[in-house]
Amino acid sequence: MDDLDQLEAQSIYILREAYRKLKPLAMLWSLGKDSNVMVWLARKAFLGRVPFPVMHVDTGKKFPEMYRFRDEYTRKWELELLLGDCPPVEEIDPTLPPAARSAARKTAGLAAMIEKYKLEGVIAGIRRDEQATRAKERVFSPRGSSHKWDVRNQPPEFWDQYATPHEEGVHIRVHPLLSWREIDIWRYIEREGIPLVDLYFSKNGKRYRSLGDQDITSPIESDAATVAEVIAELQTTRTSERAGRAMDHESEDAFERLRVAGYL
């Protein structure tokens, strides 16, 4: 087995453990590269068909290409899609910086969906290498009744044994891609031929390295127009993956405040 085989096997094991231990269970589908890899892995883990719903917490501000991709691959992959709306920004904590406040709409939207469907587990496609706060996460990460993350009280995870507390109101965030790096994601996309929103590829010298809402996400300078060219670019770049996310350039603690409150 090479390194991609090992990452794939680990993620499939995590997905099967989540399905065995947590019900009802759903997977977040943001339509980006990581969540598309996650859906692909779930299809592999369960003989070609995802046995739980995928959820899109919709801010109404995604790129048109993302909505078209969602509609096309919901049909092609035969997914059970749950759609949820987000509250207006005026209802969000006004002490947050502007971009973080806009992004926090998803936190409230996700909380509403978890309560509506009484979910015990939510699978999310975060990675430790994306952002320092995410490096503190566990594979199975409990959230309290208010959906908050207690970063100082996370269960130990030894020998791939994952705790699933069942207190009233608690749910588990499951992170099957936690050990993957950005370049691993792209190498796996190349190997497997996984479809993506074409905004990831260069047009007129620019491409999106990370996809979010239109008003808080910017493209980077790039000539990488194919998966192979993106991989080559990543081997030499010193720029952060989330350099195009406006919220990552705001106050230092804004992202951790979002995560603690239940952000994806």
Side-chain angles (χ1 to χ4, degrees):
M1 295 175 70
D2 64 17
D3 59 330
L4 288 182
D5 291 329
Q6 291 171 359
L7 287 168
E8 178 188 70
Q10 180 188 43
S11 296
I12 286 175
Y13 170 74
I14 291 165
L15 289 167
R16 288 173 175 165
E17 282 291 283
Y19 185 62
R20 182 173 70 88
K21 293 181 175 182
L22 302 169
K23 289 182 174 63
L25 177 69
M27 175 181 284
L28 286 167
W29 189 30
S30 71
L31 314 173
K33 64 184 187 301
D34 299 299
S35 63
N36 287 338
V37 164
M38 199 164 57
V39 172
W40 189 270
L41 287 164
R43 294 172 74 231
K44 278 198 163 189
F46 301 102
L47 304 177
R49 198 163 195 277
V50 181
F52 38 73
V54 297
M55 300 195 306
H56 183 207
V57 185
D58 189 9
T59 61
K61 294 185 175 184
K62 300 299 182 186
F63 294 90
E65 293 91 338
M66 297 175 75
Y67 291 116
R68 288 196 293 270
F69 184 94
R70 182 191 71 188
D71 295 343
E72 178 182 357
Y73 281 93
T74 296
R75 292 191 302 272
K76 286 185 175 179
W77 289 341
E78 298 180 332
L79 302 174
E80 179 187 351
L81 176 63
L82 306 179
L83 292 176
D85 296 323
C86 299
V89 72
E90 291 77 17
E91 296 182 15
I92 304 302
D93 182 358
T95 68
L96 286 168
R101 190 181 184 196
S102 180
R105 294 175 60 225
K106 287 199 297 186
T107 304
L110 175 58
M113 292 190 77
I114 290 170
E115 291 169 9
K116 177 179 179 179
Y117 296 105
K118 296 180 171 54
L119 296 175
E120 194 171 273
V122 176
I123 304 169
I126 69 164
R127 307 189 326 269
R128 285 194 179 105
D129 74 325
E130 281 182 283
Q131 208 276 342
T133 300
R134 286 175 169 165
K136 303 174 185 177
E137 274 285 13
R138 295 289 192 269
V139 175
F140 277 48
S141 180
R143 296 296 195 272
S145 56
S146 61
H147 305 282
K148 290 189 175 181
W149 175 43
D150 185 353
V151 66
R152 295 178 178 83
N153 186 28
Q154 292 291 291
E157 293 181 334
F158 300 125
W159 307 293
D160 293 332
Q161 300 299 306
Y162 304 120
T164 53
H166 290 282
E167 291 88 350
E168 182 69 27
V170 171
H171 75 276
I172 306 294
R173 301 282 177 91
V174 181
H175 304 129
L177 302 182
L178 206 56
S179 297
W180 295 57
R181 302 168 300 159
E182 182 185 13
I183 198 166
D184 298 327
I185 293 290
W186 280 101
R187 288 172 56 227
Y188 191 71
I189 288 167
E190 181 181 48
R191 188 182 87 172
E192 300 287 311
I194 300 172
L196 296 176
V197 178
D198 63 7
L199 293 169
Y200 282 113
F201 304 108
S202 180
K203 294 178 182 176
N204 302 316
K206 292 187 176 182
R207 73 176 186 90
Y208 287 87
R209 192 167 163 193
S210 179
L211 290 179
D213 287 355
Q214 293 185 64
D215 58 341
I216 56 174
T217 311
S218 301
I220 62 167
E221 300 288 334
S222 173
D223 293 319
T226 66
V227 174
E229 289 172 352
V230 169
I231 293 170
E233 180 180 86
L234 293 178
Q235 289 171 337
T236 59
T237 186
R238 294 179 178 273
T239 305
S240 164
E241 179 181 1
R242 294 178 59 90
R245 296 290 190 112
M247 61 184 283
D248 287 51
H249 301 284
E250 293 179 329
S251 63
E252 186 174 340
D253 70 337
F255 195 91
E256 181 146 345
R257 287 173 63 191
L258 288 180
R259 292 288 299 164
V260 168
Y263 186 71
L264 313 183

